[in-house]
Amino acid sequence: MRILVVEDEPLVADAVAQWLRGDAHAVDVVHDGGAALERIGVNDYDVVVLDRDLPVVHGDDVCRELAGSGGETRVLMLTASADVADRVSGLSLGADDYLPKPFAFAELSARVTALGRRARPAAPPILQRGGIRLDPHRREVYRDGRYVPLSRKEFAVLAELLRADGAPVSAEQLLEKAWDENADPFTHSIRMIILKLRRKLGEPPIVLTDPGVGYRVP
């Protein structure tokens, strides 16, 4: 998934981003509400992890903007308050979930994953195609019963290809979902990941190239 973390405490923001990247997500980080609105206007995010008490533009206003946009981005709101009335207020703004600080990273990750499933069309828990079996929760991949060890980026790219259900996925789409905003679209990073995937998945080739269109798993 593509995730935006909006948190004004840099240490907290970096820790959250590092944890979510460990789950093979592409994560961007900003530290105020104004920067969040700029990123949201440019990128399509599956989930925004949004601190409520933000400088420049308050988190409530960011949440209202997202809720009123009509998009499919889901919002997990963070706050230092555990008060029930505060949680109800946050949800009434349009947040999809609410997590008080301090929180366990494992719980935050589980909530983000659950919101991500709601942000995109329903997919089976286990992705299977062409002899490939990918378990998003265990982060395991098998081909014809053989375990295939993949890096986080290789796993994320393969998951996007399987979710396409045989349709080609463009390089731009892979950049959008599997890389963060620091990715250089003019590099050969996608091509290299595809080459590594093909080598690890073995013969016969299962990740095909449609010239000028993208990549697909038939």
Side-chain angles (χ1 to χ4, degrees):
M1 291 188 293
R2 183 78 180 269
I3 300 168
L4 177 64
V5 174
V6 191
E7 166 62 62
D8 65 331
E9 297 183 29
L11 290 178
V12 174
D14 291 344
V16 169
Q18 182 176 358
W19 185 278
L20 293 174
R21 287 172 183 140
D23 288 338
H25 300 307
V27 184
D28 298 333
V29 177
V30 294
H31 302 298
D32 65 73
L37 290 176
E38 290 179 2
R39 294 294 199 285
I40 292 165
V42 173
N43 300 316
D44 290 327
Y45 293 103
D46 297 292
V47 178
V48 174
V49 179
L50 178 66
D51 185 38
R52 189 167 190 180
D53 189 16
L54 291 171
V56 184
V57 176
H58 197 274
D60 288 359
D61 295 320
V62 176
C63 188
R64 287 193 192 94
E65 182 75 19
L66 273 167
S69 68
E72 297 182 344
T73 301
R74 304 300 180 181
V75 177
L76 173 59
M77 184 173 278
L78 306 178
T79 181
S81 173
D83 184 74
V84 172
D86 198 50
R87 295 200 298 270
V88 171
S89 173
L91 292 171
S92 69
L93 293 168
D96 298 281
D97 200 358
Y98 198 94
L99 189 61
K101 299 176 180 179
F103 51 80
F105 286 119
E107 180 180 4
L108 180 142
S109 177
R111 288 175 181 265
V112 165
T113 298
L115 289 177
R117 288 197 295 266
R118 294 163 56 188
R120 61 173 68 201
I126 304 297
L127 300 173
Q128 300 187 74
R129 191 171 188 87
I132 296 176
R133 183 179 186 275
L134 183 147
D135 186 333
H137 302 293
R138 295 178 180 272
R139 295 204 297 278
E140 293 178 345
V141 173
Y142 293 83
R143 183 176 187 188
D144 297 327
R146 174 180 63 88
Y147 175 69
V148 182
L150 298 180
S151 70
R152 290 195 298 268
K153 195 66 66 181
E154 292 161 359
F155 186 94
V157 168
L158 181 59
E160 290 301 321
L161 293 174
L162 293 176
R163 288 190 181 102
D165 199 25
V169 182
S170 70
E172 290 78 10
Q173 289 172 301
L174 291 175
L175 274 173
E176 177 68 28
K177 292 299 183 182
W179 273 262
D180 59 30
E181 63 184 4
N182 296 316
D184 181 355
F186 298 105
T187 69
H188 299 293
S189 54
I190 293 177
R191 185 180 301 172
M192 293 303 299
I193 290 295
I194 294 295
L195 288 173
K196 290 178 181 178
L197 268 177
R198 286 171 174 159
R199 184 176 69 248
K200 291 184 177 181
L201 291 170
E203 297 293 336
I206 192 66
V207 179
L208 307 182
T209 301
D210 287 351
V213 179
Y215 304 96
R216 61 185 174 91
V217 175

